[in-house]
C-alpha cells in the first residue's frame, strides 16, 4: 500500500536524522500520508509518525465519518472543550527532538513548546520535504492527468482570446473551462497579463482591455484529484509582432527547450537554472529574467525542489519540476513559457504538450521567428 510505504520511508528518514517523531498537520501533508483530504481550519488535525511503531491520527470528532484510518493508524478523537494540544503533547515521545510540519501555525508550536519543554523541535524540511520529493507512479499518473486537463483548457483559452476582451474576462473564462473539465479548484488565481502588464510576472489580472497586437501572458493551472497543474504560454493577439517581440520570444523558447533537455538524474538543480539564464543573458536580457527557473509541483503548486541558481541539490528520478524562463521588459511586454516535467531514468518527460510556437490567436498562424 502506497501510504504504508510513505510512512515507512518517513520512519527511515527519522532514524537517519536521529529524530523521535514527525507531526504532520497541513491538509496536503495529511492527505499524502493518509489518502484523506481534511481541512479542519483552526481545529487541530495531526498525524504523528514515531521513529518506530504505529502512527497516530488525531482529529476532531466531527470528522469521524471523513477519516478512514484502517490499520495504518491508531486514531484519537477530541471534541470542543478539550485541550487538543495537550492531547497531542501526551502522544509525543518523552524526550529527544521532534520534526514539526512547516505549515503549522507558529502559535500552536509555541504552546506545544511550553507544554513539552523537555523536547526539542525542528522543521519538517528534511523529513516531510524529502518524503514527498520523489513522486511514485501513482502520483506521476495523477499529475499527467491533471496536466492533460491544463492542456485542453490552454488550447481553448488561446482560441478564445481576441482584441477587446478584458483580462478579467479571460480569467473568468479560464475558470469556466476548468469547471467544464470537472476541475472546480484552481492551483492559483490565473495570471492574464496583456501588453505592459505581461512584464509583471505575478500580475493581478484587472480590467485592462486586450488590444490588437498585444502579447498576452497566460499562466494557469487546476487541481484534479488533489494534484496540481501549472503552465504558461504567451500569445500574440492579432496585429504584427515587432522584431523585438520576435527576438524575445525566440530567446525564451530556446532557454526553455535547452533547460528541459538538461534535466536528467545527477544534474544539480542550479545547472538547469544556469542553462536557461545563460541563453537569456547572451542575448542581452539577463537583467530582465527576474525569477527562478522553476519549482517542484505535486499536491501543492509550489513545493520542493526549487530550480534556483544556488541549489546544489541533484535531480533524481521521480522529481517533478516546472521549467519557466521569462523576459520582462518594463512598460512594454513580457514573455514566459512554462511546462511541468518529471525526471525519468534517462532524462525527463513533459506533462504539457500544447505547442510552444509563437501563435497569433486571431488567425491561428505561427509567427515567424
Amino acid at each position: 500500500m502506497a501510504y504504508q510505504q510513505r510512512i515507512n520511508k518517513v520512519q527511515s528518514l527519522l532514524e537517519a536524522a536521529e529524530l523521535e517523531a514527525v507531526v504532520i498537520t497541513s491538509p496536503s501533508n495529511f492527505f499524502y500520508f493518509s489518502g484523506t483530504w481534511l481541512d479542519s481550519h483552526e481545529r487541530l488535525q495531526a498525524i504523528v509518525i514515531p521513529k518506530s511503531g504505529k502512527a497516530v491520527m488525531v482529529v476532531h470528532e466531527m470528522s469521524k465519518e471523513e477519516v478512514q484510518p484502517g490499520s495504518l493508524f491508531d486514531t484519537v478523537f477530541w471534541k470542543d472543550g478539550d485541550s487538543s494540544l495537550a492531547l497531542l503533547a501526551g502522544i509525543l515521545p518523552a524526550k529527544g527532538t521532534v520534526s514539526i510540519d512547516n505549515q503549522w501555525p507558529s502559535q500552536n508550536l509555541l504552546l506545544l513548546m511550553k507544554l513539552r519543554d523537555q523536547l526539542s523541535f525542528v522543521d519538517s524540511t528534511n523529513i516531510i520535504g524529502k518524503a514527498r520529493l520523489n513522486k511514485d507512479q501513482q502520483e506521476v499518473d495523477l499529475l499527467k492527468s491533471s496536466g492533460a486537463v491544463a492542456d485542453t483548457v490552454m488550447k481553448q483559452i488561446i482560441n478564445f482570446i481576441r482584441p477587446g476582451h478584458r483580462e478579467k474576462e479571460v480569467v473568468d473564462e479560464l475558470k469556466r473551462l476548468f469547471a467544464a473539465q470537472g476541475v472546480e479548484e484552481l492551483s492559483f488565481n490565473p495570471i492574464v497579463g496583456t501588453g505592459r502588464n505581461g512584464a509583471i510576472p505575478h500580475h493581478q489580472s484587472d480590467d485592462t482591455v486586450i488590444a490588437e497586437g498585444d502579447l498576452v501572458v497566460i499562466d494557469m493551472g487546476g487541481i484534479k484529484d488533489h494534484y496540481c497543474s501549472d503552465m504558461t504560454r504567451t500569445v500574440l493577439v492579432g496585429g504584427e509582432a515587432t522584431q523585438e517581440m520576435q527576438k524575445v520570444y525566440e530567446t525564451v523558447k530556446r532557454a526553455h527547450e535547452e533547460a528541459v533537455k538538461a534535466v536528467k538524474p545527477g544534474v544539480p538543480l542550479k545547472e538547469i537554472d544556469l542553462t536557461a539564464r545563460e541563453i537569456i543573458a547572451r542575448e542581452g536580457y539577463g537583467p530582465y529574467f527576474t525569477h527562478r527557473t522553476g519549482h517542484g509541483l505535486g499536491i501543492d503548486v509550489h513545493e520542493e525542489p526549487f530550480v534556483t541558481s544556488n541549489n546544489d541539490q541533484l535531480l533524481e528520478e521521480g522529481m517533478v519540476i516546472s521549467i519557466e524562463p521569462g523576459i520582462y521588459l518594463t512598460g512594454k511586454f513580457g514573455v514566459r513559457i512554462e511546462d511541468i516535467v518529471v525526471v525519468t531514468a534517462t532524462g525527463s518527460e513533459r506533462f504539457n504538450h500544447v505547442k510552444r510556437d509563437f501563435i497569433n490567436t486571431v488567425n491561428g498562424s505561427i509567427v515567424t521567428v
Side-chain angles (χ1 to χ4, degrees):
M1 173 185 271
Y3 301 113
Q4 184 62 64
Q5 291 170 354
R6 292 171 187 178
I7 291 170
N8 293 345
K9 183 176 182 179
V10 158
Q11 290 182 319
S12 296
L13 290 169
L14 289 168
E15 181 73 35
E18 298 183 344
L19 301 175
E20 298 305 313
V22 61
V23 178
I24 293 152
T25 59
S26 72
S28 57
N29 287 329
F30 197 97
F31 173 77
Y32 180 80
F33 289 103
S34 70
T36 298
W37 188 271
L38 187 65
D39 189 351
S40 54
H41 304 289
E42 76 279 3
R43 291 183 171 93
L44 174 71
Q45 63 181 53
I47 294 172
V48 180
I49 302 178
K51 184 167 58 177
S52 61
K54 200 169 185 180
V56 180
M57 181 183 287
V58 182
V59 292
H60 192 275
E61 64 178 1
M62 68 179 179
S63 299
K64 279 185 177 180
E65 301 303 318
E66 296 179 81
V67 298
Q68 298 175 335
S71 60
L72 284 179
F73 308 98
D74 288 330
T75 310
V76 177
F77 295 103
W78 63 277
K79 61 182 182 294
D80 288 343
D82 292 343
S83 174
S84 57
L85 284 172
L87 180 64
L88 175 63
I91 294 169
L92 296 179
K95 59 182 179 179
T97 304
V98 172
S99 173
I100 296 288
D101 195 317
N102 288 358
Q103 298 184 50
W104 205 33
S106 59
Q107 63 183 17
N108 292 341
L109 174 57
L110 290 170
L111 180 54
L112 183 62
M113 291 170 70
K114 289 181 180 179
L115 291 169
R116 295 303 304 273
D117 59 5
Q118 73 275 37
L119 285 175
S120 299
F121 297 94
V122 295
D123 69 30
S124 64
T125 301
N126 288 331
I127 305 300
I128 302 175
K130 281 187 178 179
R132 286 179 55 178
L133 202 56
N134 304 80
K135 274 52 180 177
D136 56 33
Q137 190 58 52
Q138 176 184 334
E139 291 187 286
V140 170
D141 291 343
L142 287 167
L143 285 164
K144 282 183 180 179
S145 179
S146 189
V149 170
D151 274 358
T152 297
V153 171
M154 183 63 84
K155 290 175 185 176
Q156 291 172 329
I157 204 66
I158 288 173
N159 289 332
F160 171 82
I161 293 177
R162 290 293 182 271
H165 283 139
R166 297 179 185 275
E167 291 174 347
K168 282 185 176 179
E169 288 181 72
V170 179
V171 168
D172 289 343
E173 180 66 6
L174 277 167
K175 293 175 179 177
R176 189 193 71 78
L177 291 170
F178 270 112
Q181 295 291 321
V183 174
E184 298 289 345
E185 186 176 357
L186 302 188
S187 304
F188 52 92
N189 199 42
I191 298 168
V192 175
T194 189
R196 65 178 59 193
N197 291 343
I200 305 169
H202 284 175
H203 170 62
Q204 298 296 306
S205 303
D206 56 28
D207 287 322
T208 302
V209 176
I210 297 170
E212 184 171 2
D214 273 358
L215 283 183
V216 180
V217 177
I218 310 159
D219 187 349
M220 54 96 208
I223 304 174
K224 176 177 169 57
D225 299 322
H226 299 295
Y227 279 81
C228 294
S229 62
D230 185 6
M231 68 183 302
T232 307
R233 293 293 184 267
T234 303
V235 296
L236 178 69
V237 185
E240 297 289 332
T242 66
Q243 287 187 339
E244 185 176 40
M245 287 177 177
Q246 294 182 52
K247 181 182 178 182
V248 168
Y249 194 96
E250 169 60 22
T251 300
V252 172
K253 182 181 177 184
R254 189 152 36 91
H256 173 88
E257 294 292 344
E258 292 304 314
V260 170
K261 288 178 185 176
V263 173
K264 58 185 176 182
V267 174
L269 282 150
K270 67 181 183 182
E271 285 196 17
I272 308 304
D273 183 270
L274 184 63
T275 297
R277 206 165 294 280
E278 283 187 337
I279 290 169
I280 289 172
R282 279 200 301 269
E283 296 298 329
Y285 296 110
Y288 308 104
F289 179 15
T290 54
H291 55 74
R292 64 196 175 199
T293 295
H295 56 83
L297 176 133
I299 303 170
D300 294 309
V301 70
H302 289 165
E303 58 182 54
E304 295 181 61
F306 296 101
V307 189
T308 61
S309 59
N310 61 348
N311 192 346
D312 293 317
Q313 185 176 11
L314 302 182
L315 286 166
E316 299 174 5
E317 186 174 358
M319 288 182 177
V320 172
I321 58 174
S322 69
I323 301 294
E324 48 180 305
I327 295 173
Y328 309 96
L329 303 182
T330 302
K332 293 182 177 181
F333 60 84
V335 173
R336 181 164 68 254
I337 301 172
E338 175 188 17
D339 286 332
I340 304 299
V341 303
V342 58
V343 184
T344 64
T346 58
S348 69
E349 178 185 353
R350 280 186 168 102
F351 291 158
N352 305 112
H353 304 286
V354 175
K355 289 182 179 180
R356 288 157 289 279
D357 296 321
F358 192 4
I359 298 292
N360 187 320
T361 68
V362 172
N363 58 30
S365 66
I366 297 174
V367 180
T368 302
V369 264

